[in-house]
Amino acid sequence: GDTIIVRRWQDQGFPKKGTLVVYNDAHGATLKEFGYRKAKPGEEGDTFNNIPVLKSLNPAFREVQTMEGGRIDAVFVELV
């Protein structure tokens, strides 16, 4: 039930690790924490062998990889 202020994120690459982002996919928009994890065997990571992930703020939900058909629409600015 909180109200948040966000800033639009458009084709700017990836935000800084730990940034809260608005992630939008076929199921709707959610607030996630942007981060990285090490690539598993068979996965192609970046130059540091990392995979970008969006971590749920609720530990009951799994990590969401940014390449699963969704997009980052905005970054968190403040809680009102």
Side-chain angles (χ1 to χ4, degrees):
D2 292 326
T3 300
I4 62 170
I5 296 175
V6 297
R7 180 175 29 94
R8 186 177 307 276
W9 186 264
Q10 294 181 358
D11 298 322
Q12 301 173 30
F14 291 119
K16 190 163 77 168
K17 181 180 176 182
T19 301
L20 297 180
V21 301
V22 176
Y23 176 71
N24 197 338
D25 64 9
H27 303 289
T30 57
L31 193 63
K32 302 283 185 186
E33 179 183 354
F34 181 80
Y36 293 95
R37 67 165 172 76
K38 289 295 178 190
K40 297 174 183 172
E43 290 182 317
E44 185 176 333
D46 62 13
T47 55
F48 299 105
N49 200 34
N50 291 323
I51 301 286
V53 294
L54 295 170
K55 299 177 183 179
S56 178
L57 301 177
N58 181 340
F61 293 92
R62 67 178 182 85
E63 291 181 341
V64 178
Q65 288 191 20
T66 59
M67 299 300 146
E68 289 182 347
R71 65 184 184 276
I72 296 173
D73 282 340
V75 294
F76 174 85
V77 174
E78 69 178 295
L79 178 68
V80 181

Coordinates of all heavy atoms in Angstrom, one line a residue:
G1 N 0.8 -1.2 0.0 CA 0.0 0.0 0.0 C 0.8 1.3 0.0 O 0.3 2.3 0.1
D2 N 2.2 1.2 -0.1 CA 3.0 2.3 -0.1 C 3.0 3.0 -1.5 O 2.7 2.4 -2.5 CB 4.5 2.0 0.2 CG 4.6 1.5 1.6 OD1 3.9 2.1 2.5 OD2 5.4 0.7 1.9
T3 N 3.3 4.3 -1.6 CA 3.5 5.0 -2.8 C 5.0 5.3 -3.0 O 5.7 5.7 -2.1 CB 2.7 6.3 -2.8 OG1 1.3 6.1 -2.5 CG2 2.9 7.1 -4.0
I4 N 5.5 5.0 -4.2 CA 6.9 5.2 -4.5 C 7.0 6.2 -5.7 O 6.1 6.3 -6.5 CB 7.6 3.9 -4.8 CG1 7.0 3.2 -6.0 CG2 7.6 2.9 -3.6 CD1 7.9 2.0 -6.5
I5 N 8.2 6.8 -5.7 CA 8.5 7.7 -6.8 C 9.6 7.0 -7.6 O 10.6 6.5 -7.0 CB 9.0 9.1 -6.4 CG1 7.8 9.7 -5.7 CG2 9.5 9.9 -7.5 CD1 8.2 11.1 -5.1
V6 N 9.5 6.9 -8.9 CA 10.5 6.2 -9.8 C 10.9 7.1 -10.9 O 10.2 8.1 -11.2 CB 9.9 4.9 -10.3 CG1 9.6 3.9 -9.2 CG2 8.7 5.1 -11.2
R7 N 12.0 6.8 -11.5 CA 12.5 7.6 -12.7 C 12.5 6.6 -13.8 O 13.0 5.5 -13.7 CB 13.9 8.1 -12.4 CG 14.5 8.9 -13.5 CD 15.9 9.5 -13.2 NE 16.6 8.8 -12.2 CZ 17.6 7.9 -12.4 NH1 17.9 7.6 -13.7 NH2 18.2 7.4 -11.4
R8 N 12.0 7.0 -15.0 CA 11.9 6.2 -16.2 C 13.4 5.7 -16.6 O 14.3 6.5 -16.5 CB 11.3 6.9 -17.3 CG 11.1 6.1 -18.6 CD 10.4 6.8 -19.7 NE 9.2 7.4 -19.3 CZ 8.0 6.8 -19.2 NH1 7.9 5.5 -19.5 NH2 6.9 7.4 -18.8
W9 N 13.5 4.5 -17.0 CA 14.7 3.9 -17.4 C 14.6 3.4 -18.8 O 13.8 2.5 -19.1 CB 15.1 2.7 -16.5 CG 16.4 2.1 -16.8 CD1 16.7 1.0 -17.6 CD2 17.6 2.5 -16.2 NE1 18.0 0.7 -17.5 CE2 18.6 1.6 -16.7 CE3 18.0 3.5 -15.4 CZ2 20.0 1.8 -16.4 CZ3 19.3 3.6 -15.0 CH2 20.3 2.8 -15.5
Q10 N 15.3 4.1 -19.8 CA 15.1 3.8 -21.2 C 16.4 3.5 -21.9 O 17.3 4.4 -22.0 CB 14.4 5.0 -21.9 CG 13.0 5.2 -21.5 CD 12.4 6.4 -22.3 OE1 13.1 7.0 -23.1 NE2 11.2 6.7 -22.0
D11 N 16.6 2.2 -22.3 CA 17.8 1.8 -23.1 C 19.1 2.4 -22.5 O 19.9 3.0 -23.3 CB 17.6 2.2 -24.5 CG 16.4 1.5 -25.2 OD1 16.1 0.4 -24.8 OD2 15.7 2.2 -26.0
Q12 N 19.3 2.3 -21.2 CA 20.5 2.8 -20.6 C 21.4 1.7 -20.2 O 22.2 1.9 -19.3 CB 20.1 3.7 -19.4 CG 19.2 4.9 -19.8 CD 18.8 5.6 -18.6 OE1 19.4 5.7 -17.6 NE2 17.6 6.2 -18.7
G13 N 21.3 0.5 -20.7 CA 22.1 -0.6 -20.2 C 21.5 -1.1 -18.9 O 20.3 -1.0 -18.7
F14 N 22.4 -1.6 -18.0 CA 21.9 -2.1 -16.7 C 22.2 -1.0 -15.7 O 23.2 -0.4 -15.7 CB 22.6 -3.4 -16.4 CG 22.2 -4.5 -17.2 CD1 23.2 -5.2 -18.0 CD2 20.9 -5.0 -17.3 CE1 22.8 -6.3 -18.8 CE2 20.5 -6.1 -18.0 CZ 21.5 -6.7 -18.8
P15 N 21.3 -1.0 -14.7 CA 21.5 -0.1 -13.5 C 22.6 -0.6 -12.6 O 23.1 -1.7 -12.8 CB 20.2 0.0 -12.8 CG 19.5 -1.3 -13.2 CD 20.0 -1.6 -14.5
K16 N 23.0 0.2 -11.7 CA 24.1 -0.2 -10.7 C 23.6 -1.4 -9.8 O 22.4 -1.4 -9.5 CB 24.5 1.0 -9.9 CG 25.7 0.8 -9.0 CD 26.3 2.1 -8.5 CE 25.5 2.6 -7.4 NZ 26.3 3.7 -6.7
K17 N 24.4 -2.3 -9.5 CA 24.1 -3.4 -8.6 C 23.5 -2.8 -7.3 O 24.0 -1.9 -6.7 CB 25.3 -4.2 -8.2 CG 25.1 -5.4 -7.4 CD 26.4 -6.1 -7.1 CE 26.1 -7.3 -6.1 NZ 27.3 -8.0 -5.8
G18 N 22.4 -3.5 -6.8 CA 21.7 -3.0 -5.6 C 20.6 -2.0 -5.8 O 19.8 -1.7 -4.9
T19 N 20.4 -1.5 -7.1 CA 19.4 -0.6 -7.4 C 18.0 -1.3 -7.4 O 17.9 -2.4 -7.9 CB 19.6 0.1 -8.8 OG1 20.9 0.7 -8.8 CG2 18.6 1.0 -9.2
L20 N 17.0 -0.6 -6.8 CA 15.7 -1.1 -6.9 C 15.1 -0.7 -8.2 O 15.2 0.5 -8.6 CB 14.8 -0.6 -5.7 CG 15.3 -1.1 -4.4 CD1 14.4 -0.5 -3.3 CD2 15.3 -2.6 -4.2
V21 N 14.5 -1.6 -9.0 CA 13.9 -1.3 -10.3 C 12.5 -1.8 -10.4 O 12.1 -2.7 -9.7 CB 14.8 -2.0 -11.4 CG1 16.2 -1.5 -11.3 CG2 14.7 -3.5 -11.3
V22 N 11.8 -1.2 -11.3 CA 10.4 -1.6 -11.7 C 10.6 -2.5 -12.9 O 11.1 -2.1 -13.9 CB 9.5 -0.4 -12.0 CG1 8.1 -1.0 -12.5 CG2 9.3 0.5 -10.8
Y23 N 10.3 -3.8 -12.7 CA 10.5 -4.8 -13.7 C 9.1 -5.2 -14.3 O 8.1 -5.4 -13.5 CB 11.1 -6.1 -13.1 CG 11.2 -7.2 -14.1 CD1 12.1 -7.2 -15.2 CD2 10.4 -8.4 -14.0 CE1 12.2 -8.3 -16.0 CE2 10.6 -9.4 -14.8 CZ 11.5 -9.4 -15.9 OH 11.6 -10.4 -16.7
N24 N 8.9 -5.1 -15.6 CA 7.6 -5.4 -16.2 C 7.7 -6.6 -17.1 O 8.6 -6.6 -18.0 CB 7.2 -4.1 -17.0 CG 5.7 -4.1 -17.3 OD1 5.1 -5.1 -17.3 ND2 5.2 -2.9 -17.6
D25 N 6.8 -7.5 -16.9 CA 6.8 -8.7 -17.8 C 5.3 -9.0 -18.2 O 4.4 -8.2 -17.9 CB 7.5 -9.9 -17.2 CG 6.8 -10.4 -16.0 OD1 5.7 -10.0 -15.6 OD2 7.4 -11.3 -15.3
A26 N 5.0 -10.1 -18.7 CA 3.7 -10.5 -19.1 C 2.7 -10.6 -17.9 O 1.5 -10.6 -18.1 CB 3.7 -11.8 -19.9
H27 N 3.2 -10.7 -16.7 CA 2.4 -10.8 -15.5 C 2.1 -9.5 -14.8 O 1.4 -9.4 -13.9 CB 3.0 -11.8 -14.6 CG 3.2 -13.2 -15.2 ND1 2.2 -14.0 -15.5 CD2 4.3 -13.8 -15.6 CE1 2.7 -15.1 -16.1 NE2 4.0 -15.0 -16.1
G28 N 2.8 -8.4 -15.2 CA 2.6 -7.1 -14.6 C 3.9 -6.5 -14.1 O 5.0 -7.1 -14.5
A29 N 3.9 -5.5 -13.4 CA 5.1 -4.8 -12.9 C 5.3 -5.1 -11.4 O 4.4 -5.2 -10.7 CB 4.9 -3.3 -13.1
T30 N 6.6 -5.3 -11.1 CA 7.0 -5.6 -9.7 C 8.3 -4.8 -9.4 O 9.0 -4.4 -10.3 CB 7.3 -7.1 -9.5 OG1 8.3 -7.5 -10.4 CG2 6.0 -7.9 -9.7
L31 N 8.5 -4.6 -8.1 CA 9.7 -3.9 -7.7 C 10.7 -5.0 -7.3 O 10.5 -5.9 -6.5 CB 9.4 -3.0 -6.4 CG 10.4 -2.0 -6.0 CD1 10.7 -1.0 -7.1 CD2 10.0 -1.3 -4.7
K32 N 11.9 -4.9 -7.9 CA 13.0 -5.9 -7.7 C 14.3 -5.2 -7.4 O 14.5 -4.0 -7.8 CB 13.1 -6.8 -8.9 CG 11.9 -7.5 -9.4 CD 11.6 -8.7 -8.5 CE 10.5 -9.5 -9.1 NZ 10.1 -10.6 -8.2
E33 N 15.2 -5.9 -6.9 CA 16.6 -5.4 -6.7 C 17.5 -6.0 -7.7 O 17.6 -7.2 -7.9 CB 17.1 -5.9 -5.3 CG 18.6 -5.4 -5.0 CD 19.1 -5.9 -3.7 OE1 18.4 -6.5 -2.9 OE2 20.3 -5.7 -3.5
F34 N 18.2 -5.1 -8.5 CA 19.1 -5.5 -9.5 C 20.4 -6.0 -9.0 O 21.0 -5.4 -8.1 CB 19.3 -4.4 -10.5 CG 20.2 -4.8 -11.7 CD1 19.7 -5.5 -12.7 CD2 21.6 -4.5 -11.6 CE1 20.5 -5.9 -13.8 CE2 22.4 -4.9 -12.7 CZ 21.9 -5.6 -13.7
G35 N 20.9 -7.2 -9.5 CA 22.1 -7.7 -9.0 C 22.7 -8.7 -10.1 O 22.2 -8.7 -11.2
Y36 N 23.7 -9.4 -9.6 CA 24.3 -10.4 -10.5 C 24.5 -11.7 -9.7 O 24.6 -11.7 -8.5 CB 25.7 -9.9 -10.9 CG 25.7 -8.8 -11.9 CD1 25.8 -7.5 -11.4 CD2 25.5 -8.9 -13.2 CE1 25.8 -6.4 -12.2 CE2 25.5 -7.8 -14.1 CZ 25.6 -6.6 -13.6 OH 25.6 -5.5 -14.4
R37 N 24.6 -12.8 -10.5 CA 25.0 -14.1 -9.9 C 26.0 -14.7 -10.9 O 26.1 -14.3 -12.0 CB 23.8 -15.0 -9.7 CG 23.2 -15.5 -10.9 CD 22.2 -16.7 -10.6 NE 21.4 -17.0 -11.8 CZ 21.9 -17.7 -12.9 NH1 23.1 -18.1 -13.0 NH2 21.1 -17.9 -13.9
K38 N 26.8 -15.7 -10.4 CA 27.8 -16.4 -11.3 C 27.0 -17.3 -12.2 O 26.0 -17.9 -11.9 CB 28.7 -17.2 -10.4 CG 29.7 -16.4 -9.7 CD 30.6 -15.6 -10.6 CE 31.6 -14.7 -9.9 NZ 32.3 -13.8 -10.8
A39 N 27.5 -17.3 -13.5 CA 26.9 -18.2 -14.5 C 27.1 -19.6 -14.1 O 28.1 -20.0 -13.6 CB 27.5 -17.9 -15.8
K40 N 26.1 -20.4 -14.4 CA 26.1 -21.9 -14.2 C 26.7 -22.5 -15.4 O 26.7 -21.9 -16.5 CB 24.7 -22.4 -13.9 CG 24.1 -21.8 -12.7 CD 22.7 -22.2 -12.5 CE 22.0 -21.6 -11.3 NZ 20.6 -21.8 -11.2
P41 N 27.2 -23.7 -15.3 CA 27.7 -24.4 -16.5 C 26.7 -24.4 -17.6 O 25.5 -24.7 -17.4 CB 27.9 -25.9 -16.0 CG 28.2 -25.7 -14.5 CD 27.3 -24.6 -14.1
G42 N 27.1 -24.0 -18.8 CA 26.2 -24.0 -20.0 C 25.6 -22.6 -20.2 O 25.1 -22.3 -21.3
E43 N 25.7 -21.7 -19.2 CA 25.2 -20.3 -19.4 C 26.3 -19.4 -19.8 O 27.5 -19.6 -19.5 CB 24.7 -19.8 -18.1 CG 23.4 -20.4 -17.6 CD 22.9 -19.8 -16.3 OE1 23.7 -19.6 -15.4 OE2 21.7 -19.6 -16.2
E44 N 26.0 -18.4 -20.6 CA 27.0 -17.5 -21.1 C 26.9 -16.2 -20.2 O 25.9 -15.5 -20.3 CB 26.8 -17.1 -22.6 CG 27.8 -16.2 -23.1 CD 27.7 -16.0 -24.6 OE1 27.1 -16.9 -25.3 OE2 28.1 -15.0 -25.1
G45 N 27.9 -15.9 -19.4 CA 27.9 -14.7 -18.6 C 28.6 -13.6 -19.3 O 29.1 -13.7 -20.4
D46 N 28.8 -12.5 -18.6 CA 29.5 -11.3 -19.1 C 31.0 -11.6 -19.0 O 31.4 -12.7 -18.7 CB 29.1 -10.1 -18.4 CG 29.4 -10.1 -16.9 OD1 30.1 -10.9 -16.4 OD2 28.9 -9.2 -16.2
T47 N 31.8 -10.6 -19.1 CA 33.3 -10.8 -19.1 C 33.8 -11.3 -17.7 O 34.9 -11.8 -17.6 CB 34.0 -9.5 -19.5 OG1 33.6 -8.4 -18.6 CG2 33.8 -9.1 -20.9
F48 N 33.0 -11.1 -16.7 CA 33.3 -11.6 -15.3 C 32.6 -12.9 -15.0 O 32.5 -13.3 -13.8 CB 33.0 -10.5 -14.3 CG 33.7 -9.2 -14.5 CD1 33.1 -8.1 -15.0 CD2 35.1 -9.1 -14.2 CE1 33.8 -6.9 -15.2 CE2 35.8 -8.0 -14.4 CZ 35.2 -6.9 -14.9
N49 N 31.9 -13.5 -16.0 CA 31.1 -14.7 -15.8 C 29.9 -14.5 -14.9 O 29.5 -15.4 -14.2 CB 32.0 -15.9 -15.3 CG 31.4 -17.2 -15.6 OD1 30.7 -17.4 -16.6 ND2 31.6 -18.1 -14.7
N50 N 29.3 -13.3 -15.0 CA 28.2 -13.0 -14.2 C 26.9 -12.9 -15.1 O 27.0 -12.6 -16.3 CB 28.3 -11.6 -13.5 CG 29.4 -11.6 -12.4 OD1 29.5 -12.6 -11.7 ND2 30.1 -10.6 -12.3
I51 N 25.8 -13.2 -14.5 CA 24.5 -13.2 -15.1 C 23.7 -12.1 -14.4 O 23.5 -12.2 -13.2 CB 23.7 -14.5 -15.1 CG1 24.5 -15.6 -15.7 CG2 22.3 -14.4 -15.6 CD1 24.5 -15.6 -17.2
P52 N 23.1 -11.1 -15.1 CA 22.2 -10.1 -14.4 C 20.9 -10.8 -13.9 O 20.3 -11.6 -14.7 CB 22.0 -9.1 -15.5 CG 22.3 -9.7 -16.8 CD 23.2 -10.8 -16.5
V53 N 20.5 -10.5 -12.7 CA 19.3 -11.0 -12.1 C 18.6 -9.9 -11.4 O 19.1 -8.9 -11.0 CB 19.5 -12.2 -11.2 CG1 20.1 -13.4 -11.9 CG2 20.4 -11.8 -10.0
L54 N 17.3 -10.1 -11.3 CA 16.4 -9.2 -10.5 C 16.0 -10.0 -9.3 O 15.3 -11.0 -9.5 CB 15.3 -8.7 -11.3 CG 15.7 -7.8 -12.5 CD1 14.5 -7.5 -13.4 CD2 16.3 -6.5 -12.0
K55 N 16.4 -9.6 -8.1 CA 16.0 -10.4 -6.9 C 14.8 -9.8 -6.3 O 14.6 -8.6 -6.2 CB 17.2 -10.3 -5.9 CG 18.5 -10.9 -6.5 CD 19.6 -10.7 -5.5 CE 20.9 -11.3 -6.1 NZ 22.0 -11.1 -5.2
S56 N 13.9 -10.7 -5.9 CA 12.6 -10.3 -5.3 C 12.9 -9.7 -3.9 O 13.8 -10.2 -3.2 CB 11.7 -11.5 -5.1 OG 10.5 -11.1 -4.5
L57 N 12.2 -8.7 -3.5 CA 12.3 -8.2 -2.2 C 11.7 -9.1 -1.1 O 11.9 -9.0 0.0 CB 11.7 -6.8 -2.1 CG 12.4 -5.8 -3.1 CD1 11.6 -4.4 -3.0 CD2 13.8 -5.6 -2.8
N58 N 10.8 -10.0 -1.6 CA 10.1 -11.0 -0.8 C 10.9 -12.3 -1.0 O 10.8 -12.9 -2.1 CB 8.7 -11.1 -1.2 CG 7.9 -12.1 -0.4 OD1 8.5 -13.0 0.2 ND2 6.6 -12.0 -0.4
P59 N 11.5 -12.9 0.0 CA 12.3 -14.1 -0.2 C 11.5 -15.3 -0.6 O 12.0 -16.3 -1.0 CB 13.0 -14.3 1.2 CG 12.2 -13.5 2.1 CD 11.6 -12.4 1.4
A60 N 10.1 -15.2 -0.6 CA 9.3 -16.3 -1.0 C 9.3 -16.5 -2.5 O 8.8 -17.5 -3.0 CB 7.9 -16.1 -0.4
F61 N 9.8 -15.5 -3.2 CA 9.8 -15.5 -4.7 C 11.2 -15.7 -5.2 O 12.2 -15.2 -4.6 CB 9.2 -14.2 -5.2 CG 7.7 -14.1 -4.9 CD1 7.3 -13.4 -3.8 CD2 6.7 -14.7 -5.8 CE1 5.9 -13.3 -3.5 CE2 5.4 -14.6 -5.5 CZ 5.0 -13.9 -4.3
R62 N 11.3 -16.4 -6.4 CA 12.6 -16.7 -7.0 C 13.2 -15.5 -7.7 O 12.5 -14.5 -7.9 CB 12.5 -17.8 -7.9 CG 11.6 -17.5 -9.2 CD 11.5 -18.6 -10.2 NE 10.8 -18.2 -11.3 CZ 11.3 -17.6 -12.4 NH1 12.6 -17.3 -12.4 NH2 10.5 -17.3 -13.4
E63 N 14.5 -15.6 -8.0 CA 15.2 -14.6 -8.8 C 14.5 -14.6 -10.2 O 14.1 -15.6 -10.7 CB 16.6 -14.9 -9.0 CG 17.4 -14.8 -7.7 CD 18.9 -15.1 -7.9 OE1 19.3 -15.7 -8.9 OE2 19.7 -14.7 -7.1
V64 N 14.5 -13.4 -10.8 CA 14.0 -13.3 -12.2 C 15.2 -12.8 -13.1 O 15.8 -11.8 -12.8 CB 12.9 -12.3 -12.3 CG1 12.4 -12.1 -13.7 CG2 11.7 -12.7 -11.4
Q65 N 15.5 -13.6 -14.1 CA 16.6 -13.1 -15.0 C 16.0 -12.1 -15.9 O 14.9 -12.1 -16.4 CB 17.1 -14.3 -15.8 CG 18.0 -15.3 -15.0 CD 18.7 -16.2 -15.9 OE1 18.8 -16.0 -17.1 NE2 19.1 -17.3 -15.4
T66 N 16.8 -11.0 -16.2 CA 16.3 -9.9 -17.0 C 16.0 -10.3 -18.4 O 15.3 -9.6 -19.1 CB 17.4 -8.8 -17.0 OG1 18.6 -9.3 -17.5 CG2 17.6 -8.2 -15.6
M67 N 16.5 -11.4 -18.9 CA 16.3 -11.8 -20.3 C 15.1 -12.8 -20.4 O 14.9 -13.4 -21.4 CB 17.5 -12.5 -20.9 CG 18.7 -11.6 -20.9 SD 18.4 -10.2 -21.9 CE 19.4 -9.0 -21.0
E68 N 14.2 -12.8 -19.4 CA 13.0 -13.7 -19.5 C 11.8 -13.1 -20.1 O 10.7 -13.3 -19.7 CB 12.7 -14.2 -18.1 CG 13.7 -15.2 -17.5 CD 13.3 -15.7 -16.1 OE1 12.4 -15.2 -15.5 OE2 14.0 -16.7 -15.7
G69 N 12.0 -12.2 -21.0 CA 10.9 -11.5 -21.8 C 10.4 -10.3 -21.1 O 9.4 -9.8 -21.6
G70 N 11.0 -9.8 -20.1 CA 10.6 -8.6 -19.4 C 11.5 -7.5 -19.7 O 12.5 -7.6 -20.4
R71 N 11.3 -6.3 -19.0 CA 12.2 -5.2 -19.2 C 12.2 -4.4 -17.9 O 11.2 -4.4 -17.1 CB 11.7 -4.3 -20.3 CG 10.4 -3.7 -20.1 CD 9.9 -2.9 -21.4 NE 8.7 -2.2 -21.1 CZ 7.5 -2.8 -21.2 NH1 7.3 -4.0 -21.6 NH2 6.4 -2.1 -20.9
I72 N 13.2 -3.6 -17.7 CA 13.3 -2.6 -16.6 C 12.7 -1.3 -17.1 O 13.2 -0.8 -18.1 CB 14.8 -2.4 -16.2 CG1 15.3 -3.7 -15.6 CG2 14.9 -1.3 -15.2 CD1 16.8 -3.7 -15.3
D73 N 11.6 -0.9 -16.5 CA 10.9 0.3 -16.9 C 11.4 1.6 -16.2 O 11.3 2.7 -16.7 CB 9.4 0.2 -16.7 CG 8.7 -0.7 -17.8 OD1 9.3 -0.8 -18.9 OD2 7.6 -1.1 -17.5
A74 N 11.8 1.4 -14.9 CA 12.1 2.5 -14.1 C 13.0 2.1 -12.9 O 13.1 0.9 -12.6 CB 10.8 3.2 -13.5
V75 N 13.6 3.1 -12.3 CA 14.4 2.9 -11.1 C 13.8 3.6 -9.9 O 13.2 4.7 -10.1 CB 15.9 3.3 -11.2 CG1 16.6 2.4 -12.3 CG2 16.1 4.7 -11.6
F76 N 13.9 3.0 -8.7 CA 13.3 3.6 -7.5 C 14.0 4.9 -7.1 O 15.3 4.9 -7.2 CB 13.4 2.6 -6.4 CG 13.0 3.0 -5.0 CD1 11.7 3.0 -4.7 CD2 13.9 3.5 -4.1 CE1 11.3 3.4 -3.4 CE2 13.6 3.9 -2.9 CZ 12.2 3.9 -2.5
V77 N 13.3 5.9 -6.7 CA 13.8 7.1 -6.3 C 13.6 7.3 -4.8 O 14.5 7.5 -4.0 CB 13.3 8.4 -7.1 CG1 13.8 9.7 -6.5 CG2 13.6 8.2 -8.5
E78 N 12.3 7.2 -4.3 CA 12.0 7.4 -2.9 C 10.6 6.8 -2.6 O 9.8 6.7 -3.4 CB 12.1 8.8 -2.5 CG 11.1 9.7 -3.0 CD 11.2 11.2 -2.5 OE1 11.1 11.4 -1.3 OE2 11.5 12.1 -3.3
L79 N 10.5 6.6 -1.3 CA 9.2 6.1 -0.7 C 8.5 7.4 -0.2 O 9.1 8.2 0.5 CB 9.4 5.1 0.4 CG 8.2 4.6 1.1 CD1 7.4 3.7 0.2 CD2 8.7 3.7 2.3
V80 N 7.2 7.5 -0.5 CA 6.4 8.7 -0.1 C 5.6 8.3 1.2 O 5.0 7.3 1.2 CB 5.5 9.2 -1.2 CG1 4.7 10.4 -0.7 CG2 6.3 9.6 -2.4

